[in-house]
Amino acid sequence: MTDAASDTTELDPTTLLSGTEPLFLVMNSASGSLDGHETRSTIERVLSESGKSYELMQVNTGSQLVETARRAVDLAREQSGIVVAVGGDGTLNAVANEVLGKDVPMGILPQGTFNYFGRMYGIPQDTEAALACLLDAVIRPVDVGLLNSHVFLVNASIGLYPQLLEDRETYKRRYGRSRPVALWSALVTLMRAHRSLHLQIDLEGKPRRDVHTPALVVDNNALQLKHMGIDRVGDIERHHLVAMTSRSRGTLALYGLLIRGLLSRLGDAENVESFSFDTMTVQPRRGRARMKVAMDGEITRMSAPLEFRISPDKLPLLVPRDPAMEEHP
């Protein structure tokens, strides 16, 4: 977690927020666990009662999200306002990509299944509670990860994990969004055969070694690491990213890793290796000019090599005034 004392010297929230800033809310009705009508009604009621100036910019498909987020950033810059992302992890990610480096504060009303990013900074998932925090917030500059210049807030990955996410979305569309559905889809995915990746990993510009692994995950969230049982929370607090690889290839071994992860004992698994870094470059040894990657639950394809690093720009995030609300790892 970012050090609050040093951050406030970079960006003093008491001088940046007057309380009169208009809010430009980008709401993805197709995102996360949103009940679009109920969430919109709550936002309109709470903000109207508070007398806050706002514009709710609602989208119904992911394809509209980036363009709408850019428009919200432009309006916020013109009117000294704040951009607020309303939705799951993918929505927060898309809006953060547009906000980063634009000198515009960002708030979130998180609606994702696990809400690791919001919980890390004390932002509740309940919409009305999150709005109450937003209306009495301070700015905290926080670290975000970059994968080839694309922002990720929680994690980015290649290999098995993107496939798990693709299958999970299929099951969620069919059976609804819940943690049991997510677990069942993961078990079904692991039953299939998986190709191991052969990767060359360079750390801080120096060759490290070749790696054979079914998955590579890079994490920027100390709370998620703690819940997986990976003892590298201090590395995140020191502004590093944490990478995890697995040497397990068989289905039974992968089942074992999944169970350990659910029991927060992944760090005890002898087939799991974790390490922290500032900059890491990943290059496939064979073929794969473009690789399937997942960032905060959203899947895309990117050209190799893949470079992971902490962004030199921090994200000016609106967080609750009371630091006791943070969920410490």
Side-chain angles (χ1 to χ4, degrees):
M1 191 183 307
T2 308
D3 186 282
S6 63
D7 285 341
T8 52
T9 59
E10 293 179 34
L11 195 59
D12 185 351
T14 61
T15 60
L16 284 175
L17 286 180
S18 66
T20 61
E21 294 85 359
L23 303 179
F24 299 94
L25 299 99
V26 180
M27 175 178 163
N28 185 1
S29 298
S31 173
S33 56
L34 270 175
D35 178 334
H37 178 72
E38 181 180 345
T39 301
R40 183 184 183 108
S41 296
T42 300
I43 291 171
E44 292 175 338
R45 174 177 55 81
V46 172
L47 294 183
S48 296
E49 289 174 354
S50 72
K52 191 74 171 176
S53 174
Y54 72 94
E55 180 178 344
L56 184 56
M57 309 164 73
Q58 189 167 348
V59 301
N60 298 310
T61 64
S63 61
Q64 302 170 321
L65 187 55
V66 172
E67 180 182 347
T68 304
R70 286 175 182 165
R71 186 158 58 92
V73 169
D74 289 341
L75 290 169
R77 296 185 75 180
E78 291 170 5
Q79 301 180 39
S80 299
I82 296 165
V83 175
V84 181
V86 187
D89 289 346
T91 301
L92 272 54
N93 177 290
V95 175
N97 265 284
E98 299 305 318
V99 167
L100 188 68
K102 304 291 177 53
D103 297 321
V104 171
M106 176 176 166
I108 65 171
L109 300 179
Q111 306 288 325
T113 304
F114 296 99
N115 188 25
Y116 279 119
F117 185 66
R119 288 161 57 194
M120 182 81 176
Y121 300 106
I123 303 167
Q125 188 159 346
D126 177 78
T127 302
E128 189 157 356
L131 281 164
C133 292
L134 187 67
L135 292 172
D136 187 36
V138 295
I139 294 177
R140 179 172 179 181
V142 303
D143 285 329
V144 298
L146 292 179
L147 170 50
N148 286 8
S149 78
H150 292 263
V151 168
F152 62 94
L153 302 175
V154 178
N155 62 44
S157 59
I158 58 176
L160 178 60
Y161 192 56
Q163 188 60 54
L164 285 168
L165 291 176
E166 278 193 336
D167 293 346
R168 186 180 73 182
E169 287 306 306
T170 299
Y171 272 73
K172 282 181 176 180
R173 284 193 295 270
R174 185 176 303 172
Y175 302 111
R177 292 181 176 272
S178 69
R179 296 189 186 194
V181 169
L183 174 59
W184 176 249
S185 70
L187 292 172
V188 172
T189 302
L190 294 179
M191 290 177 65
R192 300 197 295 266
H194 300 286
R195 182 185 303 174
S196 184
L197 301 172
H198 184 190
L199 306 172
Q200 177 183 313
I201 295 179
D202 298 345
L203 292 178
E204 325 306 347
K206 299 178 181 179
R208 183 171 184 269
R209 62 186 176 89
D210 286 359
V211 173
H212 288 270
T213 182
L216 171 68
V217 180
V218 176
D219 210 296
N220 182 48
N221 188 277
L223 187 61
Q224 186 179 63
L225 287 175
K226 176 192 175 184
H227 286 185
M228 291 190 295
I230 300 294
D231 187 21
R232 288 193 174 271
V233 171
D235 293 326
I236 297 289
E237 293 173 342
R238 290 188 290 272
H239 315 295
H240 297 295
L241 295 172
V242 173
M244 293 162 281
T245 63
S246 166
R247 291 184 290 274
S248 300
R249 304 183 197 180
T251 298
L252 288 177
L254 292 172
Y255 274 153
L257 290 178
L258 177 62
I259 292 170
R260 284 181 180 272
L262 292 172
L263 296 175
S264 300
R265 294 179 53 206
L266 197 58
D268 297 337
E270 60 185 27
N271 283 324
V272 173
E273 179 186 8
S274 65
F275 53 91
S276 63
F277 63 90
D278 292 319
T279 303
M280 177 175 71
T281 302
V282 176
Q283 176 73 56
R285 278 298 196 182
R286 296 187 299 270
R288 296 179 182 271
R290 291 178 63 80
M291 303 185 72
K292 184 186 296 183
V293 302
M295 290 177 287
D296 297 334
E298 296 297 308
I299 299 168
T300 187
R301 289 187 178 272
M302 288 188 175
S303 298
L306 305 178
E307 183 185 63
F308 299 83
R309 62 189 176 104
I310 286 283
S311 170
D313 295 315
K314 292 183 184 291
L315 183 70
L317 183 69
L318 269 66
V319 301
R321 189 176 296 275
D322 182 3
M325 293 185 66
E326 296 178 10
E327 189 169 337
H328 292 282

